[in-house]
Amino acid sequence: MAALRVGTRAVEGRFQASNGGGGGGGGMAPSSRLVAAHREAKPRSSHSAAPWKLPRRRAGAMPLWRVAVFASVALNVATLALLLHHYATSPPPHHHHHDAGLATRSSDAAVHRRARTASSMAPSTGKPAVTTDSVINLDHGDPTMFEEFWRETGDAAEVVIPGWQTMSYFSDVTNVCWFLEPELDRQVRRLHRVVGNAAVDGYHVLVGTGSTQLFMAALYALAPDAAAAAAGEPISVVSTAPYYSSYPAVTDFLRSGLFRWAGDADAFKGDSYIELVCSPNNPDGAIREAVLDPKTGNGRTVHDLAYYWPQYTPITKRASHDIMLFTVSKSTGHAGTRIGWALVKDRAIARKMTKFVELNTIGVSKDSQMRAAKVLAAVSDGYERRPEQTKETMTTPLRLFDFGRRKMVERWSMLRAAAAASGIFSLPEETSGFCNFTKETAATNPAFAWLRCDREDVEDCAGFLRGHKILTRSGAQFGADARYVRVSMLDRDDAFDIFINRLSSLK
Amino acid sequence: MAALRVGTRAVEGRFQASNGGGGGGGGMAPSSRLVAAHREAKPRSSHSAAPWKLPRRRAGAMPLWRVAVFASVALNVATLALLLHHYATSPPPHHHHHDAGLATRSSDAAVHRRARTASSMAPSTGKPAVTTDSVINLDHGDPTMFEEFWRETGDAAEVVIPGWQTMSYFSDVTNVCWFLEPELDRQVRRLHRVVGNAAVDGYHVLVGTGSTQLFMAALYALAPDAAAAAAGEPISVVSTAPYYSSYPAVTDFLRSGLFRWAGDADAFKGDSYIELVCSPNNPDGAIREAVLDPKTGNGRTVHDLAYYWPQYTPITKRASHDIMLFTVSKSTGHAGTRIGWALVKDRAIARKMTKFVELNTIGVSKDSQMRAAKVLAAVSDGYERRPEQTKETMTTPLRLFDFGRRKMVERWSMLRAAAAASGIFSLPEETSGFCNFTKETAATNPAFAWLRCDREDVEDCAGFLRGHKILTRSGAQFGADARYVRVSMLDRDDAFDIFINRLSSLK
């Protein structure tokens, strides 16, 4: 149970990768070395109406028409002053210097944005901004790269939630997943139809607090029921290495009697198991299929398709597995919203997964569900409003996958150049395929780089990079060699650029 | 493990209370009998500016002043048209017929509200509306009673979330609870200071997806660590009966090797345990203290103070226990927002609880955190803006606890009258105390009625009431006699009124 102990002891102020072992992989506790005295200044200009006077003409009785003009214009000015007051809150600064194409719409969008955010309170801004001397934390897949896109979408992706809205526990008492907002159900199905990455007809849509909660829900639903488990052993949970470091941590942290982590699927012997298939795979981006055959014995599979979106990989077929997991964290970049969803074929499994979420958190934030629905709708709108998809329209700012792909292509090209310049790193080979969504051949551009340090004297690549103030997650946490590290490709431009510069200089 | 099996098999279309056993208590699956073909019509009027003309006078050259009047008035009309367009979305209908006091502000608030919700998508409205023939579901503590209050608060409790906001996993990398929005931290501390119900200085504030998640987090943090657990038995989790029906269900559903439900604290023998102290108690509203002495042996206590707010009970002292749990579901009525918080003294415990939430859901919805912060701020504003608290100002619409207390007093009075009229039910005796918050003596008005059916031939009170289309939760689920039921006192007026009418007619 070394894995579990590690998982429970990660504390703030310690770098995750230094935990060692395979089990601390879900670790998100930020490093104290990243903590800068950075608080974004939030200027609040105090607009007031400019003093206004009618031109002075002559003293004496004022004719009725002049009174009318005065009253009317005064009204306009008052209205204007009121509006100006609403526009007084300004958003945090932009982070897009790579891509100038988006700037054209920004002034319009900014006006809208400011008009609507006046009543907001100060939200957090994520990790502190970085400078060339900063420790760069690419340990987590924090998808802040996408902020740049969403800053330009104005009202299209904005939600307004009045105080009395969605106060009930219940969303739809007729649905298996009774806490699922019907609007999110609709937008999830719509987006999958637009992209063509997963079948939705005949599936139940379930919502979770991120896909992590639905991963646990799936284990709970697929494990033999409690009575059977009491008699026998917990069911084995396996995944082909390198596997997502959270899988062992999340499976084992409560020492459940229902399921237990059993490591690499390739090495598994037995006929009762749950196989986790992550495709494209976290950490290495590989396209995966189940390696165990569920037709023999009591095997079940869960497909984690968090990265099966056009910005990361060509969409080569419409997936139609029994249980498929998705999340807004990686599809749209809204990690802070904590919304994942599952597409589930079997009604009894869907019910049991729903029961898990009920017992664990009594449902899922409706505020975030409404926000996710709005965001997914904005993505679909980008492609459905104009049915013709030609290269000429590919630069439309509201097209998320176009933005994402452009960024990922650019970043992978920078990374490969940096690795080549350095000479001591290697990366997975680029693969490509025909994308049914974009209707053209595209390369895979994974959300993480699975980087290998080839220098003979470096056995701990994460430690080596940490020495150069680059935080990554060690291959050891993914059931692989410590010469590998996983590097997030989804951080903001400034952090990514510094990372690239540092990497290329390492010899 | 009968309890667990029950818990996992509750499905939609089955009434929760019919599960029997003590373990299905977390059950929220709605009854199919409640499902009506009810979808709230959402009228969207298509306002357009009324045709407007200057009064026709005579043809010929138009003097400058007339041009000015025309331009100015036209501008006003255009502004008006624009505003009208924004006001086109209308909210669901009100449900307040008991309390007319709030109606005075409603037109103002409605104007604001409509102006801001134009870009919202259709949210759910909770359980379907009821008629005199409906099955009335008071099984769950769905706090929709509070909608009436929040419909009147306009911008004060409304959040606007732009598409790019809070996309990161991280909220504050310097905090033990790194996913806690600093604004929520501030507003939680502020409200406790305003109300005086809990100490906050020297405490860590942790956020959870409802207090249920923090309850699990506390068990995880207080249990001996995995290595110790592997050697010995899971730690015993106990609570004095009648105890909240979710405690056994949530403790045992994953069959954790770290902790295990061990029933009534009064009957517990041993020195290694976690005692759950719910005060005021769910289901019976009793003021509770720990019955086991944590100073002997390895006992730890968790205080669930979800109902320790002035609308339910006099605030007699500032609680200062090691771990205290709260939730917006019961304090403000925002159950759908799924935000709970814990006040935790010990830093190591706070870290381990944070680790639980990290492994379980990688943090908590930031959208809901921002909304909860806004709502709590609105509550505090109701009391801090006017420091003088006299009876004359007690009816201010923005004072949540005044609203809540008025409603609860009214409802308890109706319930006691109905029980008396019926003659076959008894209720806990009313107790009272001096409230340090309101500075006057107040009675307890629990969020649930712990109703006993005194008729000799009725051994299953829940079954008896179900026969009269009233759904409640059986005493058996709380470790108590099935002659008792728990009845939610927090539903909407229409449902509560029908319940009262039916109850009073039962003989």
Side-chain angles (χ1 to χ4, degrees):
Chain A
M1 290 316 301
L4 182 51
R5 268 172 287 130
V6 165
T8 63
R9 281 185 191 159
V11 295
E12 84 284 16
R14 302 267 312 173
F15 168 52
Q16 174 61 34
S18 69
N19 287 331
M28 296 282 292
S31 164
S32 61
R33 275 172 283 181
L34 289 181
V35 175
H38 166 87
R39 286 287 173 276
E40 217 141 6
K42 201 150 193 270
R44 284 178 182 272
S45 47
S46 53
H47 284 283
S48 58
W52 184 90
K53 289 181 185 176
L54 269 178
R56 201 157 174 251
R57 300 270 286 272
R58 62 181 160 88
M62 199 180 264
L64 192 66
W65 66 262
R66 205 177 283 174
V67 174
V69 172
F70 183 88
S72 186
V73 176
L75 224 92
N76 279 327
V77 170
T79 308
L80 199 67
L82 215 75
L83 285 172
L84 279 173
H85 180 75
H86 269 277
Y87 286 16
T89 320
S90 72
H94 281 214
H95 284 280
H96 59 91
H97 50 91
H98 287 169
D99 199 320
L102 286 179
T104 47
R105 284 186 71 256
S106 64
S107 58
D108 268 27
V111 165
H112 280 284
R113 207 181 309 134
R114 272 175 235 145
R116 306 299 294 270
T117 52
S119 71
S120 291
M121 306 174 94
S124 63
T125 55
K127 288 181 293 183
V130 290
T131 66
T132 50
D133 293 330
S134 299
V135 171
I136 301 299
N137 185 353
L138 302 174
D139 178 14
H140 318 102
D142 204 28
T144 42
M145 179 188 88
F146 292 98
E147 285 172 350
E148 180 184 336
F149 176 82
W150 294 107
R151 278 180 195 280
E152 309 304 325
T153 54
D155 281 359
E158 180 178 284
V159 286
V160 179
I161 307 175
W164 49 266
Q165 192 176 290
T166 55
M167 292 180 66
S168 171
Y169 287 106
F170 300 97
S171 290
D172 179 1
V173 294
T174 67
N175 196 335
V176 168
C177 189
W178 51 266
F179 47 77
L180 169 63
E181 284 290 304
E183 186 65 33
L184 180 58
D185 187 326
R186 273 191 290 278
Q187 296 301 339
V188 160
R189 291 176 193 274
R190 180 182 169 214
L191 184 60
H192 283 302
R193 286 195 184 101
V194 166
V195 175
N197 59 340
V200 289
D201 296 325
Y203 279 83
H204 299 277
V205 175
L206 311 181
V207 65
T209 310
S211 63
T212 304
Q213 188 178 35
L214 292 168
F215 163 72
M216 288 187 78
L219 299 186
Y220 175 74
L222 295 178
D225 75 14
E233 283 286 290
I235 195 166
S236 294
V237 179
V238 297
S239 189
T240 301
Y243 41 72
Y244 177 28
S245 51
S246 275
Y247 291 160
V250 172
T251 303
D252 277 350
F253 79 114
L254 286 174
R255 290 177 44 81
S256 172
L258 304 177
F259 43 78
R260 182 185 298 165
W261 179 248
D264 191 348
D266 279 329
F268 180 72
K269 308 285 177 222
D271 64 356
S272 185
Y273 62 87
I274 300 170
E275 180 181 358
L276 310 170
V277 183
C278 186
S279 182
N281 190 45
N282 176 355
D284 65 357
I287 302 302
R288 286 269 184 93
E289 300 206 351
V291 299
L292 301 174
D293 183 359
K295 290 185 191 69
T296 66
N298 294 311
R300 307 297 286 266
T301 52
V302 176
H303 281 78
D304 180 348
L305 304 185
Y307 303 94
Y308 192 43
W309 295 100
Q311 64 268 51
Y312 305 121
T313 186
I315 303 302
T316 54
K317 57 182 166 189
R318 191 183 305 272
S320 57
H321 309 287
D322 289 346
I323 301 179
M324 300 183 279
L325 305 182
F326 293 91
T327 168
V328 291
S329 301
K330 301 309 190 282
S331 54
T332 71
H334 290 85
T337 288
R338 310 307 312 123
I339 291 292
W341 66 91
L343 303 177
V344 179
K345 254 186 200 163
D346 184 77
R347 191 175 174 85
I349 298 289
R351 270 184 202 140
K352 225 177 146 186
M353 288 178 70
T354 299
K355 187 72 192 175
F356 175 92
V357 178
E358 174 189 325
L359 286 163
N360 188 194
T361 56
I362 320 185
V364 173
S365 160
K366 298 192 197 315
D367 312 309
S368 281
Q369 289 190 58
M370 291 309 292
R371 186 178 183 196
K374 193 80 191 273
V375 160
L376 296 187
V379 176
S380 290
D381 284 348
Y383 295 95
E384 279 203 331
R385 272 183 188 157
R386 303 171 185 82
E388 76 290 348
Q389 282 185 37
T390 66
K391 283 194 178 170
E392 286 67 41
T393 58
M394 290 290 272
T395 52
T396 308
L398 281 173
R399 296 190 149 188
L400 176 75
F401 301 124
D402 296 43
F403 167 85
R405 175 147 289 271
R406 223 164 38 235
K407 296 291 285 189
M408 296 309 289
V409 165
E410 181 181 57
R411 287 182 170 202
W412 270 94
S413 148
M414 289 166 75
L415 177 62
R416 290 189 189 279
S422 160
I424 63 165
F425 296 104
S426 55
L427 287 161
E429 281 200 19
E430 190 177 277
T431 61
S432 64
F434 183 78
C435 179
N436 296 330
F437 174 67
T438 59
K439 307 293 183 206
E440 55 184 24
T441 298
T444 55
N445 290 288
F448 295 104
W450 187 235
L451 189 73
R452 186 182 190 281
C453 185
D454 299 328
R455 229 172 75 173
E456 277 302 313
D457 60 335
V458 175
E459 291 181 0
D460 170 16
C461 183
F464 173 68
L465 290 173
R466 193 162 61 248
H468 294 91
K469 297 202 279 191
I470 300 169
L471 307 189
T472 60
R473 196 170 293 183
S474 170
Q477 298 199 43
F478 302 87
D481 192 329
R483 288 182 187 272
Y484 287 89
V485 291
R486 189 194 75 169
V487 187
S488 169
M489 296 290 284
L490 304 183
D491 220 285
R492 295 181 181 123
D493 282 347
D494 48 6
F496 186 78
D497 289 353
I498 295 167
F499 159 65
I500 289 294
N501 285 337
R502 283 198 200 147
L503 194 79
S504 59
S505 72
L506 298 180
K507 299 293 170 195
Chain B
M1 291 317 300
L4 182 51
R5 268 173 287 130
V6 165
T8 63
R9 281 184 190 159
V11 294
E12 84 286 17
R14 302 266 313 173
F15 169 51
Q16 174 60 33
S18 68
N19 287 331
M28 296 283 294
S31 165
S32 62
R33 275 172 282 182
L34 289 181
V35 175
H38 166 86
R39 286 287 174 276
E40 216 142 7
K42 202 149 192 267
R44 284 178 182 272
S45 47
S46 52
H47 285 283
S48 58
W52 184 90
K53 290 179 184 178
L54 270 178
R56 200 156 176 251
R57 300 270 285 271
R58 63 181 158 89
M62 199 180 262
L64 191 66
W65 66 263
R66 204 177 283 172
V67 174
V69 172
F70 183 89
S72 185
V73 176
L75 225 92
N76 278 328
V77 169
T79 308
L80 199 68
L82 215 75
L83 285 171
L84 279 173
H85 180 75
H86 268 277
Y87 287 12
T89 319
S90 74
H94 281 213
H95 284 280
H96 59 92
H97 49 92
H98 287 168
D99 199 320
L102 286 179
T104 47
R105 284 188 70 256
S106 64
S107 58
D108 268 26
V111 165
H112 280 285
R113 206 182 309 133
R114 273 176 233 143
R116 306 300 294 269
T117 54
S119 70
S120 291
M121 305 173 94
S124 64
T125 55
K127 288 181 293 183
V130 290
T131 66
T132 49
D133 294 330
S134 299
V135 171
I136 301 298
N137 185 353
L138 302 174
D139 178 13
H140 318 102
D142 204 28
T144 43
M145 179 186 88
F146 292 98
E147 285 172 351
E148 180 184 335
F149 176 83
W150 294 107
R151 278 179 195 280
E152 309 305 324
T153 53
D155 282 358
E158 180 179 285
V159 285
V160 179
I161 307 175
W164 50 265
Q165 192 175 289
T166 55
M167 292 180 66
S168 172
Y169 287 105
F170 300 98
S171 290
D172 179 0
V173 294
T174 67
N175 196 334
V176 168
C177 189
W178 51 267
F179 47 79
L180 170 63
E181 284 291 305
E183 186 65 33
L184 179 59
D185 188 326
R186 272 191 290 278
Q187 295 301 337
V188 160
R189 291 176 192 275
R190 179 180 169 215
L191 183 61
H192 283 303
R193 286 195 184 102
V194 166
V195 174
N197 60 341
V200 289
D201 296 325
Y203 279 83
H204 299 277
V205 175
L206 312 181
V207 65
T209 310
S211 63
T212 304
Q213 187 178 34
L214 292 168
F215 163 72
M216 289 187 77
L219 298 187
Y220 174 75
L222 295 177
D225 75 14
E233 283 288 290
I235 195 165
S236 294
V237 180
V238 297
S239 189
T240 301
Y243 42 72
Y244 178 28
S245 51
S246 275
Y247 291 161
V250 172
T251 303
D252 277 350
F253 80 115
L254 286 174
R255 289 177 45 80
S256 172
L258 304 177
F259 43 77
R260 182 185 298 165
W261 179 249
D264 191 349
D266 279 328
F268 179 73
K269 308 284 177 223
D271 65 356
S272 185
Y273 62 85
I274 300 170
E275 180 181 358
L276 310 170
V277 183
C278 186
S279 182
N281 190 44
N282 175 358
D284 65 357
I287 302 301
R288 286 268 184 92
E289 300 206 350
V291 300
L292 301 174
D293 184 358
K295 289 186 191 68
T296 66
N298 294 311
R300 307 297 286 266
T301 52
V302 177
H303 281 77
D304 180 347
L305 304 184
Y307 303 94
Y308 193 43
W309 295 100
Q311 64 268 52
Y312 305 121
T313 188
I315 302 302
T316 55
K317 57 182 164 189
R318 192 183 305 272
S320 57
H321 309 287
D322 289 348
I323 301 179
M324 300 183 279
L325 305 182
F326 293 91
T327 167
V328 290
S329 301
K330 301 310 189 285
S331 54
T332 71
H334 290 84
T337 287
R338 309 309 311 123
I339 291 291
W341 65 92
L343 303 177
V344 179
K345 254 185 200 164
D346 184 77
R347 191 176 175 84
I349 298 290
R351 272 183 201 142
K352 225 177 146 186
M353 288 179 69
T354 299
K355 188 71 192 174
F356 174 91
V357 177
E358 175 189 324
L359 286 164
N360 188 195
T361 57
I362 320 185
V364 174
S365 160
K366 298 191 198 313
D367 312 310
S368 281
Q369 290 190 58
M370 291 309 294
R371 186 177 182 195
K374 193 79 191 272
V375 161
L376 296 187
V379 176
S380 291
D381 284 348
Y383 295 95
E384 280 202 330
R385 271 183 187 157
R386 303 171 186 83
E388 77 290 348
Q389 281 183 39
T390 67
K391 282 195 178 171
E392 286 66 42
T393 58
M394 288 291 271
T395 52
T396 307
L398 281 172
R399 296 191 148 186
L400 176 75
F401 301 124
D402 296 43
F403 167 85
R405 175 145 289 271
R406 224 164 39 234
K407 296 291 285 190
M408 296 309 290
V409 165
E410 182 181 56
R411 288 182 170 202
W412 270 95
S413 147
M414 288 165 76
L415 176 63
R416 289 190 189 279
S422 159
I424 63 166
F425 296 103
S426 55
L427 287 161
E429 280 200 20
E430 190 177 276
T431 60
S432 63
F434 184 79
C435 180
N436 296 331
F437 174 67
T438 58
K439 306 292 182 207
E440 55 184 24
T441 298
T444 55
N445 291 287
F448 295 104
W450 186 235
L451 190 73
R452 185 182 190 279
C453 184
D454 299 328
R455 230 173 74 174
E456 277 300 313
D457 61 334
V458 175
E459 291 181 359
D460 170 14
C461 182
F464 173 69
L465 290 174
R466 193 160 61 247
H468 294 90
K469 298 201 282 190
I470 300 169
L471 307 189
T472 61
R473 196 170 294 183
S474 171
Q477 298 199 44
F478 301 88
D481 193 328
R483 287 180 189 273
Y484 286 89
V485 291
R486 189 194 75 169
V487 187
S488 170
M489 296 290 284
L490 303 183
D491 220 285
R492 295 181 180 122
D493 282 348
D494 50 5
F496 186 78
D497 289 353
I498 295 167
F499 159 66
I500 289 295
N501 284 337
R502 282 198 200 147
L503 195 79
S504 60
S505 72
L506 298 180
K507 299 292 169 195

